[in-house]
Amino acid sequence: MKKYDAIVIGAGHNGLTNAAYLAKSGLDVAVLERNPYIGGATVSRELHRGWTYSNCSYVCSLLRPEIARDLELPRHGLQVVPYGGGVTFMRNGDYYGNYYDHNRQYREMARHSKRDANAYERYTTDVMKQTRLIRPYLLRRPPDPTSLKPRDLRDLLGFARSFMEMGEEGLADTLRFWTKSVGDYLNEYFETDAIKAHLGGTGVIGTALGVYSPGTAYVLLHHYMGDVDGNVGSWGFARGGMGAVAAALEKSFRAFGGEVICDADVDRIIVRHGKVRGVALKNGDEYLADIVVSNLDPRRTFLDVMDEGDLSAELLHRARNFKIRGSSGKLNIALDGLPSFHGLDKSSPLMVGDMHFTDSLERLERAYDDWKDGTWSKDPYVDMLIPTQTDPTMAPPGKHMMTVFVQYAPPKINGGEWTDADKAGFEKSVIDQIAAHSPDFRDLILHCETRTPREIEAETGLTEGNIFQGELTFDQLLFNRPFPGYSQYRGPVRGMYMCGSGTHPGGGVMAAPGANAAREILRDLRRPDVVPGGYADD
Amino acid sequence: MKSASDATMMLRTPFHSRVAAACELNAWGTWKGYTTPTAYTDVELEYFAIRSTAGVFDLSPMNKYRITGPDAEAYLNRLVTRDVSKIRAGRVGYTVWCNDAGQVMDDGTIFHLGENDYRVCAFARATDWLHWSALGFDVEVVDESDEVAALAVQGPTSCAALLAMGLVGLEQLKPFGLTMFPFEGGTLMVSRTGFTGDLGYELWIAADKAELLWDRLFEAGRPHLIKPFGSDALDMARIEAGFLQAGVDFVPAESAVRSGRSRSPYELGLGWLVDMDKPVFNGRKALLREQARGSRYRFAMLDVDGNKPASHSFILSGGKKVGTVTSAAWCPTAKTNVAFAQLEMPHGDVGQELVAEIYYQRELQWTRVMAPCRVIGAPVFNPPRRRAVPPGAF
């Protein structure tokens, strides 16, 4: 039987990135994917003839440019096209627009509140200070504060130095950012409800917390620390849908001699004498390798594909208590034309950005109340985009595709499984909300794919449908992601590693966990480091 | 006759009313005395219109000269380095022209419109030079810069947008081909040319039909996501595609005051445009001499480490300065940090490792990085759709 140097479980973007770097280093690598198609949650599928959806993840900012360049993803077909700004429609018929251009942004904000427009400049500076602290650590493994190894000590010292450079005020601000609620944080700067709601939404995306829950300010920061071509905080579309990210990574991996095997559902990681030996599939096939890397989330990794007997009780306990709660759903809609929205010209640049209908933090918090009550939000927060305004490849000319991320949707309905009737109710709450601001929207719908946490988990394997492979709260970040003692991508068994978004620096189609894990694996194998370091911001 | 003050006012192109309406940022620059936008809405988004959908650029200020008469081909053949007899009617040729010292005066395109009928598009104003060169040839030289309006339509959906405008058969036009269509009682000339390195076309029309053309184009192009773009976005695209810009990447020979500041075609990487089989053309002797003795400089495209554009950088080899950068940009589609450099010979072999000394400023503090870079042999962006006949819908 053929033996590989390494096997990666799961052809998501991190699994493919990890595999690409191992293959680039000269290893013989196979990626095993459960589905008949690759991508995990970075996937594009045609479910309605002529329309391509970004079925799960839908926008791109955090994907590390160092990796895209190093793995030659543009040559392999990836193009990330930025979109500018966004808009929040208000119940009174007005809207708040977030312009890409700084001066237009100021004027639009001043239309609602001159004071907020001024405060926004202070707010941006404060947020940028925080991204500057974090960004250098994205393409590094998190230092272990309990380790005395020179590498950890050196990294910790560097971290401490950039901390001290921020001064007392900056330090206090950092702690506020990592512990505060996004609602409280925004209240310190702004007075206008719609502006706070527009900015605050990113603090709860993918998170089972409300805008007034402590820790959500960091989630906002997580959405700010990416960049498109050096513009920190910008977001873009992958041309052809997010599946283009996975497709380019796969091509890069194959160019290094790697092998992707689909329809390969891993049953368990084979461990003998405390060492990894390979994996066994559900159909009984076995693949051998001394290195097995899991791109699955920490729960699935330790509670599903590893044998409990191979793990310590403490680790099992931690895995069981890892916070990975389902909180969101998704609608992907094929449209017969570009819908019109109250008060907005169809040629407005705001149409190209992210659209929302929640005009106060209060409404955001009420949407969370429904989640706590065990049901979907009756008045949900949506993050809605129409990428076919800049991407001609995803729908026929003149037709459009809409991606609607929906917060909140619980993993279970009042403790029970989602039923089809629940799914229909969830879908209706979203479509009703959009239609309330767009008179022609309902008539333009040709097809709608609705995904509750049930569908997300069934298709991608993400536990409870949690999009980040585990919540991005401070207790599960840096050296605590996924658990203390396991943050440097090494598993509990020799030869076993983790490379998913459940590891540092977390989710959001960054590809950083996959790359960082590859660096550690190559280090253990005493092979040269082929993984790029991060670009310096300054 | 216009008063002196009117005659010297900044000019507006024939598309100005439409351009001004679309120019949300009011970001205006000048180009050869014309008011033209540097950006309409956002430079990045405009750049991506070129690379993902279709972008429209008003290139009316381009200098355009009509050359007609029985000696037109012979005249041009002496003027430029390429063999003009090989540019058949209905074809366009990119070329340079030199002075007697074999130094590049300008680069441009020659449109072979019909028998004894050519149009030359040039960066620099060339009326004086063209008339001077006509001595002894039976040709007429007319400056038609103000009479001919032009739009570049560039990007993956450009062909689809123009087909939607009713330009039947355009998909069969080959790169560097040109063709005519009737348009509102006049003639619309379309060439498959451009300065972006992508699939693209240029539309040429009498100035009085310019606004109508703009309106038709944008109406038909809407489902194909057409957008106007300004000169800043064009600059990003042309660097990514490896195109030199006269006045930026070389000094037009006749405007170089200091000796040694002009460049030969060989020194600009444009030796492929020089046809030594032609017995006579301007600069031939000097270029033969250069071939025998060797060039002084070499043009090189560099792939620079990191994400800081190497604008105006010195290029070092073994710690010694061997050249300077003329253009540099982070290329958003190729995700590569590209620089064009003038290197002293013998530097610049493909694959050579050099160092770019980059200075950049953040909040008033200047920093220097010594970024490793490599000489690359081909532009970082060169998609198959640029050459495809027929091109796809996107």
Side-chain angles (χ1 to χ4, degrees):
Chain A
M1 185 187 286
K2 180 178 174 180
K3 186 173 170 184
Y4 293 92
D5 292 327
I7 286 170
V8 179
I9 307 172
H13 66 281
N14 277 312
L16 291 167
T17 302
N18 184 268
Y21 278 112
L22 297 183
K24 186 185 177 190
S25 149
L27 298 180
D28 187 9
V29 187
V31 177
L32 303 181
E33 168 57 44
R34 185 184 66 158
N35 284 321
Y37 49 87
I38 63 155
T42 313
V43 65
S44 299
R45 300 176 67 199
E46 186 185 89
L47 299 181
H48 183 68
R49 207 178 144 81
W51 274 259
T52 307
Y53 293 147
S54 281
N55 305 72
C56 298
S57 62
Y58 51 102
V59 282
C60 193
S61 160
L62 295 158
L63 182 69
R64 301 290 75 224
E66 300 88 342
I67 295 170
R69 183 180 184 184
D70 189 69
L71 293 179
E72 298 189 271
L73 301 189
R75 187 166 72 80
H76 294 298
L78 178 64
Q79 186 182 25
V80 178
V81 180
Y83 66 83
V87 60
T88 290
F89 295 95
M90 296 157 64
R91 278 168 302 182
N92 66 5
D94 196 1
Y95 62 79
Y96 162 68
N98 211 42
Y99 284 88
Y100 209 50
D101 179 75
H102 179 82
N103 291 307
R104 299 177 91 184
Q105 158 88 0
Y106 177 87
R107 279 170 44 215
E108 167 66 1
M109 241 182 193
R111 191 168 71 81
H112 295 271
S113 158
K114 201 163 191 170
R115 204 170 153 173
D116 282 359
N118 262 226
Y120 186 69
E121 304 190 347
R122 182 164 55 93
Y123 166 81
T124 311
T125 306
D126 288 350
V127 173
M128 284 303 144
K129 280 183 192 167
Q130 298 303 319
T131 66
R132 206 175 150 268
L133 180 71
I134 289 189
R135 281 167 54 83
Y137 290 89
L138 296 178
L139 270 182
R140 290 193 202 174
R141 79 196 196 321
D144 178 353
T146 63
S147 157
L148 291 175
K149 286 186 193 146
R151 196 164 161 230
D152 286 301
L153 289 175
R154 198 186 55 225
D155 285 358
L156 280 169
L157 200 67
F159 197 55
R161 200 177 296 127
S162 31
F163 234 144
M164 300 316 282
E165 264 178 23
M166 297 183 84
E168 193 179 355
E169 207 179 315
L171 239 150
D173 215 35
T174 304
L175 288 180
R176 281 197 307 153
F177 234 118
W178 287 354
T179 55
K180 258 191 142 159
S181 77
V182 65
D184 286 337
Y185 191 82
L186 292 169
N187 279 333
E188 287 186 25
Y189 294 88
F190 305 107
E191 59 186 14
T192 309
D193 283 341
I195 289 174
K196 284 189 274 190
H198 187 89
L199 299 172
T202 56
V204 293
I205 282 183
T207 308
L209 293 170
V211 284
Y212 285 108
S213 312
T216 47
Y218 172 78
V219 183
L220 176 137
L221 187 61
H222 195 84
H223 285 94
Y224 258 99
M225 67 196 189
D227 64 290
V228 177
D229 299 312
N231 296 311
V232 176
S234 287
W235 284 79
F237 298 114
R239 194 173 193 255
M242 289 300 281
V245 176
L249 283 166
E250 186 202 14
K251 282 194 188 130
S252 178
F253 171 52
R254 286 189 191 274
F256 291 124
E259 195 180 335
V260 178
I261 303 165
C262 285
D263 293 307
D265 196 357
V266 172
D267 180 53
R268 64 195 163 85
I269 297 174
I270 307 166
V271 177
R272 282 202 198 102
H273 309 299
K275 275 164 72 176
V276 156
R277 281 285 168 257
V279 300
L281 303 191
K282 292 224 164 84
N283 67 9
D285 289 356
E286 289 191 359
Y287 289 89
L288 301 185
D290 287 340
I291 288 176
V292 172
V293 190
S294 171
N295 185 27
L296 313 180
D297 70 54
R299 279 260 198 113
R300 215 160 273 281
T301 299
F302 295 111
L303 303 180
D304 271 11
V305 297
M306 289 203 77
D307 198 338
E308 279 139 11
D310 294 327
L311 304 173
S312 74
E314 189 185 326
L315 179 62
L316 283 169
H317 180 72
R318 286 193 191 281
R320 223 170 269 130
N321 289 295
F322 183 68
K323 241 173 25 191
I324 180 164
R325 299 177 295 183
S327 65
S328 49
K330 182 99 192 284
L331 266 63
N332 298 306
I333 304 171
L335 295 169
D336 203 23
L338 189 62
S340 44
F341 291 92
H342 291 313
L344 201 58
D345 193 273
K346 277 191 186 178
S347 63
S348 166
L350 299 177
M351 286 283 292
V352 186
D354 44 279
M355 303 182 172
H356 318 273
F357 306 100
T358 308
D359 60 0
S360 71
L361 291 176
E362 167 82 17
R363 278 175 72 194
L364 264 159
E365 186 69 8
R366 293 293 160 245
Y368 179 48
D369 288 343
D370 288 335
W371 181 90
K372 282 181 284 181
D373 282 343
T375 181
W376 64 89
S377 304
K378 299 297 175 284
D379 177 23
Y381 168 77
V382 305
D383 186 28
M384 180 177 96
L385 298 111
I386 308 173
T388 41
Q389 293 171 95
T390 56
D391 185 342
T393 70
M394 299 180 80
K399 314 290 181 189
H400 289 279
M401 185 278 278
M402 183 186 256
T403 160
V404 193
F405 174 88
V406 189
Q407 190 90 8
Y408 296 80
K412 288 204 186 324
I413 299 297
N414 297 315
E417 297 301 327
W418 278 81
T419 63
D420 289 347
D422 294 330
K423 184 177 161 184
F426 166 77
E427 180 183 295
K428 184 176 181 301
S429 74
V430 177
I431 288 179
D432 284 353
Q433 190 189 57
I434 301 170
H437 296 268
S438 172
D440 53 358
F441 169 68
R442 226 184 273 274
D443 294 335
L444 292 171
I445 299 175
L446 298 173
H447 175 264
C448 177
E449 178 195 25
T450 299
R451 302 166 71 94
T452 71
R454 175 181 70 167
E455 284 78 26
I456 298 175
E457 174 161 10
E459 283 175 36
T460 65
L462 289 165
T463 300
E464 293 196 9
N466 182 293
I467 64 170
F468 292 132
Q469 276 205 358
E471 273 167 65
L472 294 171
T473 47
F474 197 42
D475 56 313
Q476 296 193 154
L477 289 176
L478 294 165
F479 54 86
N480 285 329
R481 192 167 185 88
F483 330 115
Y486 293 94
S487 68
Q488 296 185 346
Y489 311 97
R490 290 172 186 84
V493 179
R494 216 170 120 201
M496 190 259 156
Y497 296 84
M498 296 166 278
C499 75
S501 297
T503 59
H504 171 81
V509 196
M510 270 197 255
N516 289 345
R519 194 186 295 111
E520 297 307 308
I521 294 167
L522 295 176
R523 196 181 168 86
D524 289 352
L525 294 175
R526 299 181 193 284
R527 297 177 77 90
D529 184 7
V530 295
V531 184
Y535 294 150
D537 277 350
D538 48 22
Chain B
M1 197 175 158
K2 282 182 184 174
S3 73
S5 65
D6 279 349
T8 54
M9 284 281 277
M10 202 55 85
L11 297 166
R12 293 171 166 190
T13 80
F15 298 105
H16 188 81
S17 63
R18 306 303 191 265
V19 169
C23 188
E24 295 179 12
L25 294 180
N26 255 328
W28 299 101
T30 61
W31 177 12
K32 295 286 167 197
Y34 284 87
T35 299
T36 52
T38 55
Y40 285 84
T41 49
D42 178 88
V43 176
E44 266 84 28
L45 303 188
E46 289 165 36
Y47 159 86
F48 276 105
I50 303 171
R51 290 285 184 252
S52 178
T53 59
V56 178
F57 182 77
D58 177 5
L59 57 99
S60 304
M62 176 72 78
N63 292 300
K64 295 165 286 259
Y65 302 97
R66 193 67 168 261
I67 316 288
T68 52
D71 290 343
E73 183 189 302
Y75 163 80
L76 286 170
N77 239 340
R78 195 193 60 184
L79 193 78
V80 306
T81 56
R82 265 181 92 154
D83 187 349
V84 176
S85 70
K86 289 181 182 163
I87 305 171
R88 286 174 286 111
R91 300 285 301 163
V92 185
Y94 172 63
T95 188
V96 292
W97 44 100
C98 296
N99 61 12
D100 271 359
Q103 301 296 291
V104 176
M105 294 177 62
D106 202 355
D107 67 342
T109 40
I110 296 178
F111 291 70
H112 193 167
L113 307 176
E115 198 183 344
N116 298 326
D117 189 3
Y118 295 85
R119 179 182 288 151
V120 174
C121 286
F123 164 79
R125 294 192 180 96
T127 306
D128 180 43
W129 169 249
L130 292 174
H131 278 98
W132 189 15
S133 302
L135 189 70
F137 288 97
D138 186 2
V139 290
E140 193 188 1
V141 176
V142 176
D143 181 345
E144 52 181 20
S145 302
D146 296 342
E147 285 76 48
V148 178
L151 290 178
V153 186
Q154 306 277 306
T157 65
S158 55
C159 184
L162 292 168
L163 287 173
M165 205 178 86
L167 305 187
V168 177
L170 184 71
E171 75 281 2
Q172 294 305 329
L173 189 66
K174 292 179 183 149
F176 289 99
L178 68 84
T179 181
M180 311 285 175
F181 295 93
F183 185 83
E184 295 297 320
T187 300
L188 169 66
M189 182 174 98
V190 182
S191 55
R192 188 164 165 185
T193 48
F195 200 47
T196 64
D198 216 306
L199 170 66
Y201 302 84
E202 288 170 330
L203 314 185
W204 311 81
I205 191 95
D208 62 343
K209 299 205 162 38
E211 289 170 332
L212 201 54
L213 174 65
W214 178 288
D215 295 343
R216 290 279 167 76
L217 174 63
F218 278 84
E219 179 61 33
R222 188 177 304 131
H224 303 282
L225 314 175
I226 202 162
K227 284 180 191 69
F229 67 94
S231 53
D232 287 355
L234 179 66
D235 200 47
M236 293 165 74
R238 67 105 189 163
I239 292 172
E240 193 167 46
F243 292 151
L244 300 183
Q245 168 90 59
V248 176
D249 298 301
F250 65 90
V251 183
E254 296 301 283
S255 54
V257 175
R258 296 161 184 81
S259 71
R261 301 294 163 93
S262 60
R263 295 287 181 269
S264 77
Y266 300 115
E267 292 169 338
L268 293 174
L270 299 174
W272 60 280
L273 294 173
V274 181
D275 193 338
M276 280 298 180
D277 293 340
K278 289 200 299 181
V280 182
F281 63 89
N282 292 340
R284 186 173 188 271
K285 269 188 194 158
L287 291 173
L288 275 174
R289 242 185 345 260
E290 182 179 332
Q291 277 192 328
R293 290 183 191 167
S295 302
R296 303 161 297 170
Y297 300 97
R298 178 146 60 179
F299 168 79
M301 264 181 285
L302 305 174
D303 180 348
V304 184
D305 275 9
N307 59 355
K308 310 283 182 302
S311 308
H312 314 298
S313 293
F314 287 124
I315 300 297
L316 314 178
S317 174
K320 190 176 151 284
K321 184 197 141 200
V322 297
T324 51
V325 169
T326 56
S327 288
W330 171 263
C331 299
T333 296
K335 293 276 178 273
T336 304
N337 195 13
V338 169
F340 295 173
Q342 281 286 320
L343 302 178
E344 293 164 17
M345 290 296 281
H347 296 284
D349 282 335
V350 171
Q352 188 186 2
E353 303 270 343
L354 296 158
V355 169
E357 184 175 345
I358 303 173
Y359 290 82
Y360 66 92
Q361 196 204 51
R362 290 283 186 276
E363 299 179 331
L364 295 184
Q365 182 171 305
W366 282 93
T367 308
R368 182 180 74 157
V369 287
M370 304 295 269
C373 50
R374 280 155 308 286
V375 178
I376 50 176
V380 293
F381 180 79
N382 189 9
R385 65 178 177 239
R386 180 180 173 187
R387 292 170 294 278
V389 182
F394 45 77

